Amino acid sequence: MDHLTALRDHDAPLSDVLAVLNNRQRESRRAVMRAFVGVSVMGSPVASYAACSVIPTETGGPFPGDGTNGPNALTTSGIVRSDMRSDFGGIGSSVAAGIPVTVRLQLVNVDNNCALLPGYALYLWHCDAAGNYSLYSTASGHNYLRGVQAADSTGTVTFTTVFPGAYSGRYPHMHFEIFKSVAQASTGSNAVRTSQLALPETTCREIYTANAATYPGSLTNLAATPLARDGIFSDGSSLQLVSITGSAAQGYVATLSIGISAGVGVGTAPGTASQRVTAIEFYNTTLDHYVVISDPAEAATIDSGGAGPGWSRTGTTYPLDAPPATGSIPVYRFYGSVNPGPNSHFYTTSEEEKAALIALAAKTLVSEKRWNYEGVGFQAGVASNGACPQSLVGPSYSVPVFRLYNNGYPIKDANHRYATSTAIVQEMVAKGWKLEGVAFCAMSQ
């Protein structure tokens, strides 16, 4: 079947129709489905952060590249970056081999009720797949796998890198230093905290086994030095062990909240409620349709009957971002006209889905069913591998919004429902609706 034709008719879930265009979302939905047993909701998966305690100080090791032991990458132009896989600053253009991983670290102040630390900077570095550190020894001609990021308004730094190898005598790990600002991140001597991240053994074993040629000797070295025998982590690693979700096909995401002692009164609370809007769900008894509205004026119009009879509020609401905000993404809104239909709204955060729907509408007659692009409905948090990252302090983008499909075509108009309640998800699945996964993340209260 032609994927775009199926998309127009929606005789299969949109997630399945666009599988070729959006394979990662499909895999994420499968991960979510595995969290369900029959129609019994077991709760949504999350990328958990560690407890709000001061992370232990650890050595920067012999290869910091911060000026405290030889070369200083921190003074090289281009060190402030999110993708740290390639050489920078004119040293070359090589890209480190290895399995990609996104590292997302949140900085919080344990002296101020886990307040966020926007503006603080974190320098991350680690060995390559072969166990070598750039700027030193056999990798001295490279400076890849090193980067600095300033924490955003949620106190979060995000890096794209490759999974490090396991070299002899050490358990797989990454190094980092924290600074009060990017300006301070010019030498390791200015760091307010130096520590290391431990990587989950299950993920290490999975990657090293499947990619033995890329990670020579790593599986053997991992077996020789497990976490309990590592000289750095043997005294405890609970505050340093990252949580990893995903797979080689989906992409790996490593998360951890890092607590430091930054002083009383230092840090900020998350975004205020004035920066947010409330998503309001309506239901039409005649159409058996649900719709989510974030515009107060539009909601008022529906309340007054301006959208036709039969609409009423279900009582389901959740906070979302109205203007673009750090860490948020646009949620695109589409509508199928009353005639010929599907007389329903559809939301997506996928650029692929958006582009495919717009392209399809452009070559579909107005007399035929199609999705018409209406623009950005609101801002929301991005779901990663079927999960919403959990923050130590709220509000944050930590509430999964599940997308359900009523299998409406061709018996009745297609309709989607977007629910944060696992009880609602269970109810709709019991009625025959299909769970299509986590569409996006709403703000916590």
Side-chain angles (χ1 to χ4, degrees), residues 161-307:
T161 186
V162 298
F163 205 87
Y167 54 85
S168 179
R170 282 301 316 274
Y171 181 81
H173 62 283
M174 296 182 179
H175 297 264
F176 68 89
E177 292 173 338
I178 298 174
F179 302 84
K180 290 185 177 181
S181 66
V182 170
Q184 287 287 308
S186 59
T187 170
S189 300
N190 293 337
V192 297
R193 178 67 51 165
T194 301
S195 192
Q196 298 182 25
L197 306 174
L199 305 173
E201 182 176 348
T202 299
T203 307
C204 294
R205 193 173 301 280
E206 174 183 301
I207 290 176
Y208 299 157
T209 300
N211 304 275
T214 304
Y215 292 89
S218 285
L219 198 59
T220 300
N221 292 330
L222 174 65
T225 309
L227 188 61
R229 294 184 197 168
D230 183 83
I232 298 298
F233 300 125
S234 59
D235 59 348
S237 59
S238 61
L239 298 177
Q240 299 162 282
L241 186 63
V242 301
S243 173
I244 292 187
T245 58
S247 65
Q250 297 170 274
Y252 292 96
V253 179
T255 56
L256 185 69
S257 185
I258 298 173
I260 66 172
S261 180
V264 177
V266 177
T268 64
T272 63
S274 63
Q275 297 173 314
R276 303 198 301 272
V277 296
T278 299
I280 303 169
E281 184 184 62
F282 288 84
Y283 174 68
N284 189 293
T285 55
T286 303
L287 299 173
D288 191 22
H289 278 188
Y290 294 89
V291 67
V292 173
I293 301 298
S294 61
D295 183 351
E298 187 175 9
T301 298
I302 297 175
D303 285 330
S304 65

Side-chain angles (χ1 to χ4, degrees), residues 277 293-295 320-322 330-333 347 373-379:
V277 296
I293 301 298
S294 61
D295 183 351
L320 296 163
D321 269 319
V331 180
Y332 303 113
R333 173 171 149 168
Y347 295 93
Y373 181 55
E374 293 189 320
V376 177
F378 42 80
Q379 299 286 130

Side-chain angles (χ1 to χ4, degrees), residues 129-165:
N132 300 312
Y133 285 85
S134 66
L135 298 178
Y136 296 87
S137 188
T138 57
S140 59
H142 301 287
N143 58 9
Y144 48 50
L145 305 184
R146 299 178 185 272
V148 172
Q149 272 280 288
D152 64 19
S153 63
T154 68
T156 302
V157 296
T158 302
F159 295 92
T160 300
T161 186
V162 298
F163 205 87

